[in-house]
Amino acid sequence: MSTEATAVVPREVEENDKISIVPGTMTDPQCATFCLQDEDHTLGNALRWAIMKDPEVDFVSYSMPHPSEPKTNVRVQTTEKTTAIEAVTKGLANVQGICSHIIQTFNTELMKGEFEYEDEEDNLQPVKLLHTSEIKWTGKDAPPPLQVENDIKNKNAAPVQISAEQILREAKERQEVAISVPKQKIHDHEELMEYRGRKRKEFEDRIQRSRLHIGEWLKYASWEESQDELQRARSIYERALQVDSSNSTLYLKYVEMEMKHKNIALARNLFDRIVTILPRRDQFWLKYTYMEEMLEEVARARQIFERWMQWEPEEEAWMAYVKFEKRYKELERARVIYERFVHIHPDPKNWIKWAEFEEREGKTEKAREIFARAIEVMGEELMEQRLFISFAKFETRQKEIERARVIYKYALDRIPRSKSQALYNQYVQFEKQFGDKEGIEDVVVGKRRLQYEAELATNLKNYDIWFDYGKLEESTGDVDRVREVYERAIAQVPPAQEKRLWRRYIYLWIKYALFEELETKDYERTRQVYKGCIQLIPHKKFTFAKIWLLYAKFEIRQHNLEAARKSLGMAIGMCPKDKLFKGYIELELEMRAIDRARKLYARYLEWSPSTCSAWIKFAELESELEDTERARAVFDLAISQPELDMPEILWKSYIDFEVSEEEWSKARSLYRKLLERTAHVKVWISWAHFEASVPEEGQAAVARDVFKKGCQAMKDKGLKEERVILLEAWKEFESHQGTPETLKTVQELMPKMVKKRRQVESEGGVAGTVQWEEYYDYIFPDDQTEKPNFKLLSKAHEWKARMEREKAEKAAKAAAEAAAAASSADHAEEPNSDGDAEQSLDE
């Protein structure tokens, strides 16, 4: 007899302890996080690089959870063509191949002996070679490895450089077939007993080392089962259950072993034991009933279900019981189970399941009764929209359209709007499919109406919602509903008398009034709306000219001119505003009431004499009426006012008026008067252009003279930038209307722009520090010619430089002469040098 058994390699167990999958991170086979025990960045970075080279890998990264924990996490995500485990396995194989290739290449080069030893204390230290057995080597024909403890002196680059891609490619090419676990052939009973004894000893040792590791117990029991030692396997399971008596995996493997070997009695006893100890573990109940059903023990399976139901399990258990009875056509029993089920779990979805079951079995009245009972049991407090939706859909399937409509309306009236969104959507779809046009519109409008009411319940001062709500009701054509909405809206008066809060609110009154006038044609009600709004506004603090003008125009459309004038007059008397005066004047002008318009302009200017636009409009009115003297008088009165908001526009309008009347002398007089008040450069430019535009001879010279006077005035006041602007305008004038000589004259007056520095006072600077800033200045040619001291100063600087230069030349010449004299004196004293030396010694 020969028995074959596969030897268990200890290295596999070490690998299982070395690498593992972090619990809860493997959401699918393509994504997982692996934990490497007793590893750091060395292996983590290399493994990340090797896995990243795989084209089927989408993402890979590694991290160390904490520096004090000796482990590294590697996160891998692959495409659908491979799994995360395969990618990591392949990456580890590539890293191993690369390391093997590097070691082989290093040892091969080391064996050539082309290196030098490092001197230490003037003695050559021999290289200590490690024995081949001391280095772990993978490969068949690997050369004996050498390891050098001394550093190599020759650190020059190798003649042949090897890239990382080349190393990876060669490692892949030289990768060997993985070592397979050898099979041990057993030829007699003694060898078998010896093998079993050795394996049992190994398992017992592992269990002693890690008693709480259930995986070791399972492997031990599985091995005994593979050796047909069922009694020993049962003993191991029982011993393991003494360690952890509530481990579901142990019980599951134990009972599967008994079922696999058809030990039915033992399996039943074990199931009874399990469901007694762990009655809340539904999987054991399911397996127990499944086993009895496979054995065609229906009655026993039903008893097990009944025992299970006594614990009032979750919904899935009850549905499994129902399906069991349906498989054997025990429909009455299934109904009883449903009755008990909805009593223990009175959730709407469970009632719906029961009703759908009865509907599938053709019991329509029974299903309707179940829905009615569910609504009665749930009550108004626990009502849910899905129950009514299912009930209405059931009636729709039974062609009971009116019943379904009644159910929808009943639910919509009782369920809060915040919890009936899906119900409204289903009702809309139902009416679109089975209702008429009016019904569909009513449903849509009703849905939107409820939405607006819900939003207004949170904030009644949200005027935008009121606008949309009123527009919705106007689309329905129900006048009473529209009026109700607008009345409710205008009742929401802003909380404070601040105009910013009233700006949006006042348009509700306007919308209400326009609806009454245009849609209902109720003009008396429109008048009451306008009057109510006018009475509500606090005119002493602020007012709205739009309301007064709209009311006046409404009265004019009703041919009630006196009422319109009376309202506008009251507005001007209570709260005068620019818009009120302008709107009132425009109304009178449209009706050709010139005298009234003049009186209104007079009151307007009496109320606000600084408003230039009012003076201009008044004068334009008189000009259009061809009353030139009156218009001129208005302009004269306007420019004589001490304060004006925009005087430049007023003066320009007055000058344009005189120009349009071709009163050239009066226009010049206005320019002179304006220059007496302000010497602005634009006034000079405008005057010059005016003179050039006068249709008389010699006006170019007059304009040129104006430019000259303006430049002189700017010069006298020291306004350099304005002077430059005026010269630019003069230059442009000469380029169009002048001669080359006059243009050249102006160009000679153009200044030069230079950069200068000046000292500035610093607010937050340190005391004693000086700050400078750069600025641009203009130097005009005529200013330099009028100030000869500039030329004198420059001449003085030239003279000073010349004198210093001459002084330096004289000093250099004197030094050269002194050096020459000293040299000649030395040559003359050379013959008596010895005698002089002796004399000096004697002295």
Side-chain angles (χ1 to χ4, degrees):
M1 179 183 70
S2 66
T3 305
E4 293 185 1
T6 304
V8 179
V9 181
R11 182 171 61 85
E12 294 181 358
V13 178
E14 294 175 0
E15 288 180 354
N16 290 335
D17 295 338
K18 188 74 174 177
I19 183 170
S20 62
I21 297 177
V22 178
T25 61
M26 192 168 185
T27 57
D28 51 57
Q30 284 76 30
C31 185
T33 300
F34 300 87
C35 180
L36 305 176
Q37 296 292 338
D38 298 328
E39 296 295 342
D40 54 6
H41 295 282
T42 304
L43 180 60
N45 194 17
L47 181 59
R48 180 196 62 80
W49 182 84
I51 297 175
M52 186 174 59
K53 293 295 181 179
D54 191 348
E56 302 300 332
V57 175
D58 292 336
F59 171 79
V60 59
S61 65
Y62 83 96
S63 65
M64 296 187 66
H66 195 273
S68 63
E69 296 181 3
K71 63 181 180 180
T72 302
N73 291 342
V74 180
R75 182 69 174 177
V76 180
Q77 185 172 349
T78 65
T79 61
E80 297 180 355
K81 296 182 179 179
T82 184
T83 62
I85 297 176
E86 294 176 355
V88 172
T89 305
K90 185 177 179 181
L92 289 171
N94 290 337
V95 171
Q96 184 178 6
I98 293 171
C99 295
S100 301
H101 177 70
I102 293 173
I103 295 173
Q104 181 180 1
T105 305
F106 174 76
N107 289 330
T108 303
E109 294 296 327
L110 195 62
M111 290 181 63
K112 295 180 181 179
E114 297 178 357
F115 55 85
E116 299 178 1
Y117 300 102
E118 182 179 1
D119 294 337
E120 185 174 331
E121 297 181 358
D122 299 332
N123 294 324
L124 292 177
Q125 298 295 329
V127 178
K128 181 181 178 181
L129 302 179
L130 298 179
H131 194 267
T132 308
S133 61
E134 299 180 16
I135 299 178
K136 188 176 181 180
W137 182 263
T138 58
K140 296 181 179 179
D141 302 327
L146 299 176
Q147 182 170 343
V148 183
E149 290 185 348
N150 300 57
D151 296 335
I152 298 176
K153 259 192 172 182
N154 186 7
K155 297 181 180 180
N156 295 329
V160 178
Q161 297 294 323
I162 302 175
S163 62
E165 289 78 5
Q166 182 179 356
I167 293 174
L168 182 62
R169 184 172 59 254
E170 293 181 2
K172 185 66 176 177
E173 293 175 354
R174 301 184 184 186
Q175 188 174 5
E176 298 178 357
V177 181
I179 300 174
S180 59
V181 180
K183 291 185 178 181
Q184 182 180 0
K185 294 184 178 180
I186 299 174
H187 300 283
D188 53 14
H189 184 71
E190 293 181 358
E191 289 184 3
L192 178 61
M193 292 297 103
E194 188 273 335
Y195 165 72
R196 288 179 176 176
R198 186 176 69 253
K199 292 294 294 182
R200 289 187 180 114
K201 185 177 183 305
E202 291 176 0
F203 280 119
E204 291 292 342
D205 292 341
R206 291 179 190 172
I207 291 172
Q208 291 297 326
R209 288 196 302 268
S210 56
R211 181 177 177 81
L212 299 178
H213 192 188
I214 302 300
E216 299 293 342
W217 292 97
L218 293 175
K219 291 179 182 178
Y220 191 6
S222 177
W223 180 81
E224 291 290 356
E225 182 186 357
S226 66
Q227 301 298 318
D228 293 332
E229 295 286 346
L230 298 182
Q231 192 61 33
R232 286 181 175 272
R234 293 189 189 99
S235 176
I236 294 167
Y237 278 121
E238 294 295 337
R239 289 169 58 193
L241 288 173
Q242 292 178 0
V243 176
D244 188 357
S245 60
S246 61
N247 192 294
S248 301
T249 306
L250 275 174
Y251 282 116
L252 190 63
K253 294 293 184 182
Y254 193 1
V255 75
E256 285 179 352
M257 181 190 74
E258 300 294 358
M259 293 171 63
K260 179 180 178 182
H261 295 278
K262 300 180 180 180
N263 297 323
I264 305 303
L266 294 175
R268 283 173 177 164
N269 293 335
L270 185 57
F271 269 124
D272 286 335
R273 176 182 168 189
I274 294 171
V275 297
T276 303
I277 298 174
L278 304 174
R280 294 295 180 183
R281 305 289 174 87
D282 294 343
Q283 58 176 341
F284 295 111
W285 289 104
L286 286 173
K287 282 186 172 293
Y288 195 3
T289 56
Y290 179 73
M291 182 188 74
E292 297 295 349
E293 191 174 357
M294 290 297 100
L295 295 173
E296 297 182 356
E297 295 287 346
V298 179
R300 188 184 292 270
R302 186 175 289 112
Q303 291 177 359
I304 296 169
F305 269 117
E306 288 296 332
R307 289 174 57 191
W308 188 8
M309 296 305 112
Q310 291 177 1
W311 291 96
E312 297 183 359
E314 297 297 328
E315 300 170 2
E316 291 77 9
W318 292 93
M319 297 310 300
Y321 194 6
V322 169
K323 291 178 181 178
F324 168 78
E325 297 293 356
K326 286 170 63 178
R327 283 196 293 271
Y328 295 98
K329 309 299 182 181
E330 296 288 345
L331 301 182
E332 291 300 326
R333 289 181 178 271
R335 290 188 178 94
V336 174
I337 295 169
Y338 267 120
E339 184 80 27
R340 296 164 56 191
F341 176 38
V342 297
H343 178 71
I344 295 173
H345 298 284
D347 193 82
K349 64 179 180 180
N350 299 330
W351 289 96
I352 294 171
K353 290 179 181 178
W354 188 9
E356 290 177 350
F357 163 74
E358 298 292 352
E359 183 183 1
R360 286 193 297 269
E361 298 300 328
K363 303 294 183 178
T364 305
E365 293 299 328
K366 183 67 176 177
R368 187 177 289 114
E369 180 185 353
I370 292 169
F371 276 120
R373 283 182 57 193
I375 295 172
E376 182 180 356
V377 170
M378 300 301 292
E380 294 187 359
E381 295 181 356
L382 301 177
M383 280 185 179
E384 289 191 14
Q385 55 183 345
R386 53 181 173 177
L387 180 61
F388 290 96
I389 292 173
S390 299
F391 193 5
K393 287 184 177 180
F394 163 75
E395 297 293 354
T396 304
R397 289 192 294 270
Q398 303 302 322
K399 308 300 181 181
E400 296 288 345
I401 306 302
E402 291 302 323
R403 281 178 177 268
R405 184 176 286 109
V406 170
I407 292 168
Y408 276 122
K409 292 182 178 180
Y410 176 85
L412 290 173
D413 292 338
R414 285 163 175 79
I415 298 179
R417 299 183 184 92
S418 59
K419 301 179 181 180
S420 58
Q421 185 64 36
L423 183 63
Y424 275 110
N425 295 335
Q426 292 295 330
Y427 187 30
V428 171
Q429 295 296 328
F430 170 79
E431 289 293 345
K432 287 181 179 179
Q433 185 176 2
F434 300 103
D436 53 4
K437 182 178 180 181
E438 294 181 357
I440 295 172
E441 291 179 354
D442 290 342
V443 171
V444 175
V445 171
K447 179 180 177 182
R448 292 180 60 188
R449 186 182 293 120
L450 292 175
Q451 291 176 354
Y452 290 142
E453 290 290 348
E455 293 177 358
L456 290 173
T458 59
N459 184 13
L460 287 173
K461 297 296 189 295
N462 191 344
Y463 300 123
D464 293 330
I465 301 299
W466 286 113
F467 285 127
D468 296 337
Y469 198 178
K471 185 177 180 181
L472 173 67
E473 296 297 349
E474 288 182 19
S475 64
T476 60
D478 192 344
V479 177
D480 294 334
R481 277 186 172 273
V482 177
R483 286 175 176 168
E484 180 186 357
V485 171
Y486 277 122
E487 290 292 340
R488 290 172 57 195
I490 62 178
Q492 307 304 321
V493 182
Q497 292 184 356
E498 297 181 12
K499 192 169 184 178
R500 61 182 182 84
L501 301 176
W502 286 66
R503 284 194 177 95
R504 197 73 178 139
Y505 166 73
I506 209 68
Y507 279 95
L508 290 172
W509 289 91
I510 296 174
K511 290 281 188 180
Y512 190 11
L514 293 177
F515 168 76
E516 294 292 351
E517 181 184 1
L518 301 177
E519 300 296 334
T520 65
K521 309 296 183 181
D522 192 343
Y523 303 118
E524 185 60 32
R525 195 179 185 91
T526 305
R527 185 176 290 106
Q528 295 301 323
V529 171
Y530 277 121
K531 288 182 178 181
C533 180
I534 291 172
Q535 292 175 1
L536 184 64
I537 298 173
H539 300 289
K540 292 183 179 180
K541 293 188 176 181
F542 58 86
T543 188
F544 292 94
K546 183 183 291 293
I547 292 293
W548 293 101
L549 294 174
L550 286 174
Y551 178 41
K553 291 178 180 179
F554 163 74
E555 293 292 357
I556 291 173
R557 287 193 295 272
Q558 302 305 315
H559 305 286
N560 194 353
L561 183 59
E562 292 301 325
R565 285 174 175 169
K566 184 177 179 181
S567 65
L568 289 176
M570 183 173 61
I572 291 173
M574 292 175 58
C575 46
K577 287 185 65 175
D578 289 336
K579 291 183 179 180
L580 279 174
F581 278 109
K582 291 178 182 178
Y584 196 0
I585 291 170
E586 287 178 2
L587 286 176
E588 295 294 351
L589 290 176
E590 288 177 359
M591 293 182 290
R592 298 297 185 266
I594 305 301
D595 293 335
R596 284 184 172 273
R598 284 173 176 167
K599 291 179 181 180
L600 288 173
Y601 269 122
R603 289 191 61 183
Y604 186 10
L605 295 172
E606 182 181 353
W607 172 70
S608 178
S610 62
T611 306
C612 292
S613 59
W615 290 103
I616 294 170
K617 290 290 185 181
F618 193 7
E620 289 178 354
L621 172 63
E622 299 295 348
S623 177
E624 291 176 358
L625 296 174
E626 297 182 357
D627 195 343
T628 307
E629 293 302 326
R630 188 186 289 269
R632 188 174 287 113
V634 172
F635 274 122
D636 289 334
L637 187 60
I639 62 176
S640 63
Q641 298 299 320
E643 292 183 3
L644 294 170
D645 55 356
M646 292 183 292
E648 62 277 2
I649 298 176
L650 179 62
W651 282 92
K652 185 178 184 304
S653 300
Y654 195 3
I655 292 171
D656 292 341
F657 167 73
E658 296 294 355
V659 171
S660 63
E661 296 295 330
E662 297 184 358
E663 295 289 345
W664 315 118
S665 59
K666 292 183 179 180
R668 290 189 188 96
S669 176
L670 287 175
Y671 272 117
R672 292 189 183 96
K673 289 181 181 180
L674 182 57
L675 287 172
E676 290 176 0
R677 296 193 178 189
T678 175
H680 200 277
V681 63
K682 290 185 178 181
V683 179
W684 288 100
I685 296 172
S686 178
W687 189 9
H689 289 165
F690 159 72
E691 294 293 351
S693 63
V694 174
E696 295 179 4
E697 295 183 1
Q699 289 305 117
V702 177
R704 194 173 292 113
D705 185 56
V706 172
F707 276 120
K708 289 179 181 179
K709 291 180 180 180
C711 290
Q712 187 63 36
M714 299 296 111
K715 178 180 176 182
D716 295 339
K717 294 183 179 181
L719 304 175
K720 293 185 178 182
E721 294 183 357
E722 289 79 357
R723 189 176 173 187
V724 172
I725 295 172
L726 188 59
L727 287 172
E728 291 288 347
W730 190 4
K731 180 181 176 182
E732 185 178 359
F733 167 75
E734 295 294 350
S735 63
H736 289 86
Q737 301 185 22
T739 61
E741 292 78 9
T742 57
L743 180 60
K744 183 178 180 182
T745 303
V746 177
Q747 289 176 348
E748 291 175 354
L749 296 175
M750 298 300 293
K752 294 181 180 179
M753 188 168 60
V754 296
K755 183 185 294 186
K756 293 184 178 181
R757 297 176 63 200
R758 59 187 173 192
Q759 186 176 353
V760 296
E761 296 181 358
S762 59
E763 296 180 356
V766 182
T769 60
V770 180
Q771 295 186 1
W772 298 83
E773 70 172 1
E774 294 183 351
Y775 69 99
Y776 290 96
D777 195 6
Y778 296 98
I779 299 177
F780 295 88
D782 52 351
D783 292 346
Q784 292 183 353
T785 56
E786 292 179 3
K787 295 182 180 180
N789 54 346
F790 288 164
K791 187 175 182 181
L792 179 61
L793 185 60
S794 62
K795 293 294 184 182
H797 283 299
E798 292 178 1
W799 176 80
K800 183 178 179 181
R802 187 171 65 254
M803 293 300 293
E804 290 179 353
R805 187 168 58 253
E806 291 178 358
K807 185 177 180 180
E809 291 177 357
K810 289 180 180 180
K813 186 176 180 181
E817 291 177 355
S823 176
S824 61
D826 291 340
H827 287 295
E829 293 177 0
E830 280 181 1
N832 298 327
S833 60
D834 295 336
D836 294 340
E838 292 175 358
Q839 185 179 359
S840 63
L841 289 173
D842 294 338
E843 293 177 355

